[in-house]
Amino acid sequence: MVSPSAFVRTLVVAALAAVLAFAPAHAQQVVTVTTTVTWTYDDAGEGADYSDEGAALLDDEALTEDADFAATRRYAPHAALATLGHAKATYGPFSVIDGTTVRMAGDVTSATPRQFAAMLAAFPGLKRLEMVDCPGSLDEEANLILARAVRRQGMETVVPAGGSIRSGAVELWLAGVTRRAAPDAEFGVHSWADEYGREANDYPASDPVHAEYLGYYREMGMDAAKARAFYALTNATPFDDVRYLTRDDMARFVTLH
């Protein structure tokens, strides 16, 4: 048997349900959405190496294979580059030729400063950096770290006959305590761009980012006027293009030996 109070409660609930069923169409509705994310991991087995450096190297290699990340050479490498010697050891883009000379071919990535440090630990007498074919940098912060390490090591930077350096590699070459370049060396420059695609000229002249670049050029030996002129020259060419400079062009801004 149903008690009177229970029967009343039943009538109240039924009445509320009827009201809700015939509520206006524009009445506010509250919808709750639940999203479930499932992570799937590859089982590499016990003892697998998950070091940060290994992951960084894998990512960097994948980026380097993407043509969009590297400006192309104006011409093919000179045949003489094949006669520079066989490497005693390699560290990323670096190939140690002898106790004082290292050859560089490839991009600067987030791993390159660590590779450079490891190379110096094994070959502390290195003093000559030959930049054979260097498209630029995939990590501008790493590029500047590497450049200052080159300067601290007291190295000379050289673009040999048939050599080509572009983009951030030009800034790296500037880090040499002394700088050399063959008459046919090429220097490819263009504007930098941030992760959103904005280029140097999209930022107001007062933005601190410009001071960082100008400060670096001053640090590497340019006076204030030459630093501003070189910075303006590079930014006059869009990021997705390249302007090639000669040895004589570069001599307008820094001393060559």
Side-chain angles (χ1 to χ4, degrees):
M1 174 178 289
V2 179
S3 66
S5 60
F7 180 71
V8 171
R9 286 197 298 271
T10 301
L11 289 177
V12 171
V13 171
L16 288 173
V19 171
L20 291 174
F22 292 97
H26 63 271
Q28 182 179 4
Q29 298 182 10
V30 178
V31 179
T32 302
V33 178
T34 303
T35 302
T36 302
V37 179
T38 302
W39 296 95
T40 302
Y41 297 92
D42 290 332
D43 185 4
E46 294 184 3
D49 183 4
Y50 292 110
S51 67
D52 290 341
E53 181 173 357
L57 291 174
L58 179 61
D59 292 341
D60 295 332
E61 289 173 0
L63 289 174
T64 304
E65 292 173 359
D66 191 334
D68 292 339
F69 282 91
T72 56
R73 291 179 65 108
R74 181 171 49 180
Y75 52 78
H78 195 282
L81 296 181
T83 65
L84 290 179
H86 297 290
K88 291 186 173 184
T90 59
Y91 298 83
F94 304 111
S95 298
V96 178
I97 304 304
D98 55 40
T100 60
T101 302
V102 57
R103 182 174 60 197
M104 182 178 181
D107 290 299
V108 173
T109 70
S110 59
T112 309
R114 297 195 302 271
Q115 294 162 342
F116 184 78
M119 180 179 66
L120 289 185
F123 300 90
L126 292 172
K127 290 297 181 182
R128 178 182 173 90
L129 175 61
E130 293 182 348
M131 304 179 70
V132 176
D133 189 5
C134 303
S137 65
L138 304 180
D139 185 326
E140 186 63 13
E141 181 179 1
N143 195 52
L144 296 180
I145 292 172
L146 176 62
R148 291 183 170 99
V150 168
R151 175 57 65 98
R152 287 195 303 271
Q153 180 68 6
M155 302 184 79
E156 71 169 354
T157 50
V158 181
V159 184
S164 173
I165 61 175
R166 285 91 72 195
S167 191
V170 176
E171 294 171 347
L172 181 59
W173 175 81
L174 290 172
V177 173
T178 58
R179 310 173 192 91
R180 302 181 189 275
D184 66 344
E186 70 175 18
F187 301 80
V189 300
H190 61 132
S191 173
W192 55 265
D194 65 16
E195 63 269 29
Y196 305 106
R198 295 174 300 188
E199 301 189 12
N201 291 329
D202 295 325
Y203 282 75
S206 59
D207 195 283
V209 68
H210 301 304
E212 293 179 15
Y213 282 91
L214 292 172
Y216 173 76
Y217 297 142
R218 293 291 305 277
E219 184 181 343
M220 297 305 154
M222 294 186 191
D223 61 31
K226 289 181 179 179
R228 288 193 299 270
F230 184 72
Y231 188 56
L233 175 65
T234 61
N235 293 328
T237 300
F239 175 75
D240 58 359
D241 199 355
V242 59
R243 174 177 180 176
Y244 287 100
L245 305 177
T246 66
R247 180 189 190 281
D248 291 340
D249 292 328
M250 296 303 299
R252 294 165 44 203
F253 302 101
V254 293
T255 301
L256 276 72
H257 297 80

